[in-house]
Amino acid sequence: SPTSYMEQNGIPAYQASLPVLYHTGVEWNKRALQMIKEAQDYLLIDIFLGNLHYASVPVWEALADKVAQGVRVYCMFDSSSYFQVDPKTQDIVPAVLNYLRELGIPVVEYNPFSMSHTAFLPLLLDRDHRKFWIVDGKRIAVGGININYASLALPPETGNIDSMAEFSSPGVIRAMVDSFVETWNRYDPRQLDVSDFTVDVQADNLDTSVWLIDHHWPARSQTTVLFDAFTLGAQKELWMVQGFAFLTHALIDRIANAVSRGVDVHIILSENAGKEHYEKAALYGILDLLDVGAHVYIYRDPGEAFLHLKLMVADKHLTVFGSTNYNLRSQTLSREISVVYDDKRLGEMAMDHIEHLMKYARMVDREEALKYRTFGGYLNYLLMQVWG
């Protein structure tokens, strides 16, 4: 049982409501602005990338208005926010941290880049890749959408195809409030107290269970357990959706194991990454997946959007949404968050979304995959094992 396996390996289960899914940055942005407007006590936001762009400014201004109204707002971003480039123009997109300070929004930078860290490379590779919102201790949203140009702008300018899952779960919210506060206090002298953030324990519609992955290697090394639960636990069918995958040999072996047991494994990758070295690395690895018997597809969005979604569905009932990529970094140094549901209702919704994506996807055959096995592709594949 995949869920029993997760629990045996330290991944807790909590009562939860069925999530509401938002499948584009535009959909999520509309909901996020509504959540900000409705907040009465506090907002905790942990986002990998935040920048200053016409698509994100309404969010920042709405948060500043809530601060002025007395609502407590805390935002946490990764230092990678300083290194964002518009793929269309190659212009640097400004990070938002100084702008938020000017607006009076408390903000902290996760693991700031510094000269002292260059002497020990793993410190630089420790990045907070999580994306989650907590509102008044009542609702939490988890997924892959940042507050930046790539997540929120409309295609074909820059926008991604991605998802956020919003739900109620007192247990998950309590765990993630604790995680947020612990992380904040590590990087900011303005120490927060977890007891100041109440959680609504009387939430309604808690009619299902959710398993929470809050990966922080090595203390909470949970991503590998997640991959094993899906690849070794699937019985008939496994769908893995990822913009680009830099799979380790161990994960490829798990996929081979699933295929050998008669599981149909389908992997959807994406065009329009906007980063040539990322695409070359992902395309290089397709042959390995075909050789172990997986079916590989490449998604091409009509609006030239990039498929940034991280989604797995096993046997149409076990589903995971979150920030976790299929690579070594997500299994080790990157902090990640994902939620797993074992519920046919959500499985049906996820498969409906996959069917929609497949309208714009094509299958890759071995002849095409061989074209990607270039020396340049190999070098980028090695680089992305650590950096991507």
Side-chain angles (χ1 to χ4, degrees), residues 55-289:
S56 60
V57 164
V59 177
W60 309 133
E61 291 181 344
L63 290 171
D65 288 343
K66 298 308 290 191
V67 171
Q69 295 169 22
V71 174
R72 294 172 295 160
V73 176
Y74 299 95
C75 296
M76 188 154 51
F77 300 92
D78 191 86
S79 291
S80 301
S81 294
Y82 288 109
F83 305 97
Q84 297 179 80
V85 177
D86 188 316
K88 302 294 184 181
T89 66
Q90 297 305 305
D91 294 333
I92 295 177
V93 183
V96 77
L97 284 86
N98 290 333
Y99 178 68
L100 294 191
R101 294 184 181 110
E102 293 173 1
L103 292 178
I105 299 173
V107 59
V108 73
E109 180 181 349
Y110 184 90
N111 191 21
F113 287 103
S114 65
M115 291 300 295
S116 62
H117 284 184
T118 59
F120 189 56
L121 184 59
L123 288 178
L124 290 177
L125 296 177
D126 175 18
R127 311 282 22 126
D128 191 350
H129 193 242
R130 299 175 297 176
K131 297 97 174 170
F132 67 90
W133 295 53
I134 299 174
V135 183
D136 291 340
K138 298 179 179 180
R139 304 288 290 177
I140 183 168
V142 173
I145 298 180
N146 294 295
I147 309 179
N148 70 340
Y149 68 95
S151 284
L152 302 183
L154 283 167
E157 184 177 346
T158 55
N160 291 339
I161 300 298
D162 211 334
S163 291
M164 292 290 282
E166 178 198 348
F167 58 98
S168 295
S169 173
V172 169
I173 293 173
R174 180 76 272 165
M176 292 314 301
V177 167
D178 292 351
S179 180
F180 184 97
V181 170
E182 183 274 330
T183 308
W184 178 285
N185 288 346
R186 195 185 318 156
Y187 295 106
D188 198 290
R190 300 165 296 181
Q191 298 288 282
L192 303 179
D193 188 337
V194 293
S195 64
D196 292 335
F197 300 95
T198 59
V199 174
D200 181 15
V201 297
Q202 304 298 325
D204 297 326
N205 301 317
L206 304 181
D207 61 349
T208 189
S209 295
V210 64
W211 286 259
L212 172 67
I213 287 86
D214 182 25
H215 174 86
H216 188 195
W217 184 86
R220 291 192 304 275
S221 186
Q222 299 178 331
T223 297
T224 297
V225 175
L226 170 66
F227 290 159
D228 286 352
F230 273 75
T231 55
L232 303 181
Q235 299 300 308
K236 296 180 180 179
E237 184 179 68
L238 174 63
W239 286 86
M240 303 173 70
V241 184
Q242 179 89 147
F244 28 62
F246 316 122
L247 284 79
T248 62
H249 290 297
L251 185 51
I252 292 172
D253 287 344
R254 299 298 195 274
I255 293 171
N257 177 283
V259 172
S260 71
R261 293 184 291 106
V263 179
D264 286 328
V265 179
H266 306 270
I267 300 172
I268 304 178
L269 306 178
S270 181
E271 290 188 353
N272 303 314
K275 298 177 181 179
E276 184 179 2
H277 53 295
Y278 277 69
E279 278 195 356
K280 285 184 176 180
L283 295 175
Y284 180 89
I286 290 177
L287 185 62
D288 296 326
L289 295 170

Side-chain angles (χ1 to χ4, degrees), residues 43-65:
L43 283 150
L44 304 180
I45 302 173
D46 188 358
I47 299 294
F48 178 54
L49 300 175
N51 62 27
L52 194 56
H53 186 270
Y54 79 84
S56 60
V57 164
V59 177
W60 309 133
E61 291 181 344
L63 290 171
D65 288 343

